[in-house]
Amino acid sequence: MRILVTGGLGFIGSHTVVELQNEGFEVVVVDNLSNSSEQVLEGIFSITGKKPFFEKIDLRDKKSVQELFQKYNDIFGVIHFAASKAVGESVANPLLYYENNVTALVYLLQELQKLPKAQFIFSSSCTVYGQAEKMPITENASVQKAMSPYGNTKQIGEEIIEDVAKVSEINAILLRYFNPIGAHPSAAIGELPIGVPQNLVPYITQTAIGLREQLSVYGTDYPTPDGTAIRDYIHVVDLAKAHVVALQRLMQHKNEDKVEVFNLGTGTGSSVLEVITAFEKVSGEKLNYKLVGRREGDVVAAYANTDRANSVLGWKAASSLEEALESAWKWEQKIRK
């Protein structure tokens, strides 16, 4: 079975390619290398003993997408990661996010609906819930007005997929994940942001290793036990495995609806200060950080109710916060040698 993975050299994409290849799938990776490196292919090879096919393509170019599907005319499923994903950047540059996250999705679906059978796994986000009214968040929680253009692109993306599935052979699973962190235990692949990290854990590890002078903790007056924002941090390998399980669910026709939704998280919320404390414990490093004001677009708290993913999808996160942070630190130390 040949599976197309867009954004397959990125953080979550590369780990999912590993899990797909470990399950015997043949993988075609598409990536424009805007926030990744072709060297990731070597990491994937070192873990699995096999390199995926690789095409450097910008999915915003309609002709390139059409040519891709002509070249690989036996694609059985698509896992779509390729998107810009930083909340703060999306607030500063919304049009970049609408072009990159929405246009590419439309061009992909236009080609996919031409196929007789097509399975589509969409990389969505808990940001679609906005500031949810109740914790933990279930899949039945109402989709709130997006707190950022990034969150809005995920809401729009889900709506597009729902509409297309009604009039095509496409079956889809929308995976709403919470906060992926960590790295492969081999330290052969991990999170490799280009420029200044937009996410907490790579900023922590870069600060600990001396690449960044100081970590800023945004917001200390949230209505949480220690005043800092709460998130559900999930090990990226657990997350990657969920994509394979979701794909197999569609392939085996186990889906109960044309479009299904699953939250992917651990079910446990951790505050920013709790993450810092846990990192200091596993790394033995004292972190230099300062407390600053809130950042626009951030919600107070978001952590998952994982009952549906556990019982219906048949998947459960296996790794702890400490294990995820330990793997992220191991990866950071390796790439800075």
Side-chain angles (χ1 to χ4, degrees):
M1 293 290 185
R2 181 172 281 178
I3 306 301
L4 176 67
V5 180
T6 72
L9 297 187
F11 176 41
I12 306 168
S14 60
H15 288 81
T16 302
V17 170
V18 164
E19 297 304 325
L20 285 167
Q21 292 193 164
N22 284 343
E23 286 292 313
F25 289 99
E26 188 173 84
V27 180
V28 179
V29 166
V30 167
D31 205 298
N32 68 359
L33 304 180
S34 62
N35 196 31
S36 58
S37 165
E38 204 166 339
Q39 291 178 320
V40 175
L41 289 167
E42 300 298 331
I44 292 170
F45 177 75
S46 74
I47 299 168
T48 66
K50 185 180 181 182
K51 270 191 186 179
F53 295 95
F54 173 61
E55 300 288 340
K56 185 185 175 185
I57 289 174
D58 192 322
L59 295 172
R60 292 173 294 184
D61 180 8
K62 187 172 186 173
K63 189 167 184 288
S64 294
V65 178
Q66 291 171 335
E67 290 172 349
L68 172 72
F69 278 83
Q70 288 164 7
K71 181 175 180 179
Y72 300 97
N73 58 11
D74 58 349
I75 288 170
F76 192 78
V78 175
I79 303 181
H80 182 43
F81 294 106
S84 302
K85 62 179 179 63
V87 168
E89 184 185 47
S90 79
V91 172
N93 194 352
L95 287 178
L96 168 70
Y97 274 66
Y98 288 115
E99 181 189 31
N100 207 32
N101 295 8
V102 179
T103 304
L105 173 64
V106 170
Y107 293 162
L108 264 179
L109 291 173
Q110 283 175 339
E111 297 308 306
L112 201 59
Q113 71 175 355
K114 297 173 185 176
L115 302 180
K117 285 185 180 177
Q119 324 301 332
F120 192 73
I121 308 296
F122 182 57
S123 167
S124 193
S125 167
C126 65
T127 57
V128 301
Y129 298 115
Q131 180 53 69
E133 294 161 358
K134 283 177 65 179
M135 294 291 149
I137 302 169
T138 71
E139 288 84 354
N140 294 324
S142 58
V143 172
Q144 305 280 351
K145 179 175 171 55
M147 302 275 289
S148 68
Y150 164 69
N152 201 27
T153 65
K154 291 301 182 184
Q155 291 182 4
I156 293 167
E158 289 194 0
E159 291 168 359
I160 290 170
I161 294 164
E162 293 264 10
D163 289 341
V164 173
K166 289 173 186 172
V167 295
S168 72
E169 294 297 311
I170 294 173
N171 286 281
I173 290 180
L174 316 176
L175 297 177
R176 293 174 177 168
Y177 15 103
F178 283 66
N179 291 66
I181 62 170
H184 195 270
S186 66
I189 55 174
E191 190 166 8
L192 192 60
I194 293 174
V196 179
Q198 299 285 333
N199 296 322
L200 176 62
V201 171
Y203 213 112
I204 284 176
T205 58
Q206 288 189 13
T207 303
I209 211 150
L211 193 65
R212 307 283 161 199
E213 186 179 341
Q214 193 174 52
L215 168 73
S216 293
V217 176
Y218 294 103
T220 58
D221 60 347
Y222 286 112
T224 62
D226 63 20
T228 63
I230 289 174
R231 298 290 183 271
D232 186 337
Y233 296 94
I234 175 174
H235 198 303
V236 66
V237 174
D238 284 336
L239 190 64
K241 289 178 178 177
H243 289 75
V244 180
V245 173
L247 181 65
Q248 291 169 332
R249 177 175 173 82
L250 293 180
M251 289 169 58
Q252 295 162 9
H253 310 294
K254 291 182 178 177
N255 52 308
E256 295 164 6
D257 298 295
K258 287 274 287 174
V259 180
E260 294 185 321
V261 178
F262 296 97
N263 285 342
L264 298 182
T266 65
T268 300
S270 302
S271 73
V272 176
L273 290 180
E274 285 174 333
V275 174
I276 289 171
T277 300
F279 175 79
E280 289 179 336
K281 179 184 173 185
V282 300
S283 68
E285 300 287 330
K286 192 70 180 167
L287 205 64
N288 181 25
Y289 66 90
K290 63 177 178 179
L291 308 176
V292 298
R294 296 186 186 190
R295 182 173 58 180
E296 189 179 351
D298 284 342
V299 299
V300 177
Y303 55 96
N305 178 311
T306 61
D307 290 350
R308 178 168 159 78
N310 299 163
S311 60
V312 179
L313 190 59
W315 166 90
K316 187 171 186 176
S319 300
S320 67
L321 174 65
E322 287 77 12
E323 287 168 332
L325 290 169
E326 193 171 13
S327 68
W329 180 231
K330 183 180 174 184
W331 162 250
E332 186 72 54
Q333 290 174 300
K334 182 201 170 187
I335 59 177
R336 303 303 169 193
K337 279 183 181 176

